[in-house]
Amino acid sequence: MQVKPTTSLSDFFNQRVAGAQTGKPYNTLLSVDLAGKANGRDGYYSQDWNNFAPSVAVAWSPNFQNGLLKTIFGENKTTVRGGFRMTYDRMGSALAVAFDLNSTLGFTSQNNIAANTYNVTNRLAPLFTALGQNVRALPGISIASDLKFPLQTPGDEAQRIEQSLDDNLTTPYNYSWNASLGREFGKGYSLEVSYVGRVGRNLLLSRDVAHFNNLVDPKSGVDFYSAMRQIIAHRTSNSPISSVPNIAYFENLFPGLAGNYNVLGTTTQLTATQAAYRRIARTSVGGRSSTDYTFAQAVWDDGLGFGDNLFVHPQYATFAAYSSLGTSDYHALQATFRKRFTQSFFMDLNYTYSHSIDIASGNEASNAITGGAVFIKNPLDLNLNRSNSDFDVRHLVNANFGYDLPFGRGRTFFSNLPVVADAVLGGWKVTGIYRLNTGFPIDSGDPLDLSGWATNWNVRSRGIQIRPVKSSPTRTGDPNLFSDPKAAYQSYRTPYPGEIGDRNVLRQPGFVQFDLGVMKTFKLPGEKGQVVFRWDTFNLTNTQRFTNIAAIGIAQDPYLGATPSADFGRFTGIQGTPRVMQFALRIEF
């Protein structure tokens, strides 16, 4: 059975954005209904039938007979190449799996209490009485006895978290192009230098179409994010609560906040602005020191004088949906120096200098819609997420070689060795593979803000650097991403409303490995076969580069002198494997 929302999720999101910008929250309820061919209706999204993918390539080998150009390009020794191609990603099957695994739209037979429904003080959860307790009878639980379409989740402000697919999905596409110059130098040596580019458009990402409104005050024209930053400035300077002047946004939208509050043990009459500031002000001035700004939106959502459901949609606090909105750009300089196998020797030496940036680095196969690499924390501005790709590597060097050692019968040295001596000294070959690259962005991401959910209700933002911080891995003692973890920790601040934090700024150590192989061939009597002995060593130098960080989270206001946990930045794993040797003996006949 296939179901989908009856309203386009793109239209739903756009309506919410437009409503917030005019100060009129859009809170129309979503419904789901039967869909797909089996029900005689459209599927999740429309099939693309117009994916035209052209390719073009050119090559030229100049043949100058004399003069300077012959000296530079040679006679049929140089090749100039270029090409362009458009390709489309194959998508659909993994999306269906992700939707089937994660979405409960239309199929739910359970009811989950939303976050923050209960606490340990004034909103206690129902008492546990015994195993086998009838949970269906508990307050807040409502289970339908059957499914009748169209279905509509109640608009009861239960702050649900849901996920689906955007019906405006379209096939992601890529433009790839390259230009190269190759030159042969004789004796098997050649050099090729290339520029390679690739851009991706309509790439898959997940955005929260029910993202909390950045509501604009129609009178002052100020939005929530901007208004909050005004009182955050007072928080930073530790302004006394009663000294904060009126800010039109809070006075116009939340007049009901004004009233008597406990400030440093004294009941104090506060304006709406001062009451809003009290929620985030530090405890030293009598505030509650909360930087969970989406929770503040949920608290101020109803009954304060301007209307209800100002920020939070009455059905869903988060409604993540796969959408075709991502972009990526990759540019690289590539160089290859090569020697073909001649005179018992071959080698390749390759270097790449590249940069990959994107909005999201995940793909449909991740099966993660409400989080992970595909999720955009602030869908109101996708470019906030545009940064180094998760897989970005700036420098990459790799090389391989093979060499028949010049010792033994028929070789340059000791060509007349006796048979017994040749069996020991002759016929040896050496091969090797070398790789070195600079580090990937750390796999756990930049420091996570653990003090609250600044921008998105479901996924935390990351900390923001207030001074430059670079990875400076230690190699002794307890290895750490930072040579001075405390100084690194204190270089971050808590994110503000609307901010998603740093993305892929910090990098793990680079990787290096050298593999070496030694091979010897022994002729069998009668020359009807041979025995081949191999000794391969992987990671010959047993070099260990670290990865996997135990903890990278930051508490509230780390820049004020806080001390991180002992695990902050601590490595717990290595890249690759320790040195491994393997031996092989093979009979060939």
Side-chain angles (χ1 to χ4, degrees), residues 160-163 208 210 316-320 370 375 456-458:
R160 299 173 182 85
I161 297 173
E162 189 53 87
Q163 50 206 309
D208 182 2
Y316 306 105
T318 292
F319 197 115
T370 58
F375 188 76
N456 186 270
W457 175 256
N458 190 44

Side-chain angles (χ1 to χ4, degrees), residues 156-422:
D156 53 9
E157 304 185 26
Q159 299 171 349
R160 299 173 182 85
I161 297 173
E162 189 53 87
Q163 50 206 309
S164 185
L165 304 178
D166 191 335
D167 64 322
N168 283 347
L169 279 174
T170 187
T171 307
Y173 64 89
N174 305 272
Y175 295 127
S176 303
W177 61 90
N178 67 83
S180 65
L181 174 66
R183 177 70 158 88
E184 187 177 343
F185 297 104
K187 296 185 178 181
Y189 289 96
S190 63
L191 174 67
E192 184 172 29
V193 179
S194 306
Y195 161 67
V196 176
R198 181 185 181 101
V199 299
R201 297 296 182 262
N202 289 350
L203 304 183
L204 292 176
L205 54 78
S206 177
R207 60 172 174 170
D208 182 2
V209 297
H211 185 77
F212 282 15
N213 287 326
N214 182 24
L215 187 66
V216 172
D217 169 26
K219 291 184 178 179
S220 66
V222 176
D223 60 76
F224 175 77
Y225 295 161
S226 300
M228 287 300 295
R229 294 191 186 200
Q230 294 181 57
I231 59 173
I232 289 173
H234 287 287
R235 180 181 188 273
T236 302
S237 59
N238 282 326
S239 300
I241 292 177
S242 58
S243 71
V244 174
N246 288 346
I247 296 174
Y249 187 90
F250 300 100
E251 301 300 321
N252 294 338
L253 297 189
F254 313 124
L257 278 178
N260 293 322
Y261 294 85
N262 185 324
V263 179
L264 296 175
T266 301
T267 300
T268 306
Q269 177 71 29
L270 300 180
T271 66
T273 302
Q274 293 167 348
Y277 170 62
R278 176 179 174 273
R279 171 165 290 279
I280 70 169
R282 297 192 176 106
T283 55
S284 60
V285 298
R288 303 182 66 177
S289 197
S290 171
T291 51
D292 190 345
Y293 300 115
T294 56
F295 183 66
Q297 287 179 290
V299 171
W300 299 336
D301 198 41
D302 296 326
L304 294 177
F306 189 76
D308 295 335
N309 301 119
L310 300 183
F311 301 104
V312 189
H313 189 267
Q315 287 175 298
Y316 306 105
T318 292
F319 197 115
Y322 264 129
S323 304
S324 302
L325 297 169
T327 63
S328 69
D329 293 84
Y330 172 83
H331 301 277
L333 169 68
Q334 300 176 353
T336 297
F337 182 64
R338 175 178 294 118
K339 183 187 184 301
R340 298 195 308 271
F341 185 72
T342 59
Q343 299 176 336
S344 303
F345 176 66
F346 75 88
M347 59 86 68
D348 283 299
L349 175 62
N350 307 289
Y351 170 71
T352 300
Y353 172 64
S354 64
H355 191 195
S356 178
I357 57 178
D358 58 26
I359 292 178
S361 296
N363 56 51
E364 62 172 314
S366 66
N367 286 337
I369 301 179
T370 58
V374 298
F375 188 76
I376 304 299
K377 300 183 185 72
N378 186 352
L380 303 178
D381 186 354
L382 299 181
N383 285 326
L384 291 176
N385 220 59
R386 187 170 172 82
S387 186
N388 300 321
S389 302
D390 294 358
F391 46 83
D392 178 52
V393 173
R394 204 57 53 88
H395 300 277
L396 171 63
V397 177
N398 64 70
N400 63 84
F401 69 90
Y403 184 45
D404 295 346
L405 297 182
F407 308 110
R409 290 193 167 194
R411 303 293 175 89
T412 304
F413 302 103
F414 311 119
S415 59
N416 296 318
L417 273 177
V419 174
V420 176
D422 184 67

Side-chain angles (χ1 to χ4, degrees), residues 434 512-515 537-544 578-579:
Y434 177 79
V512 61
Q513 181 165 313
F514 179 49
D515 303 330
T537 305
F538 302 96
N539 193 7
L540 176 69
T541 59
N542 203 26
T543 302
Q544 311 300 330
R579 180 169 51 223

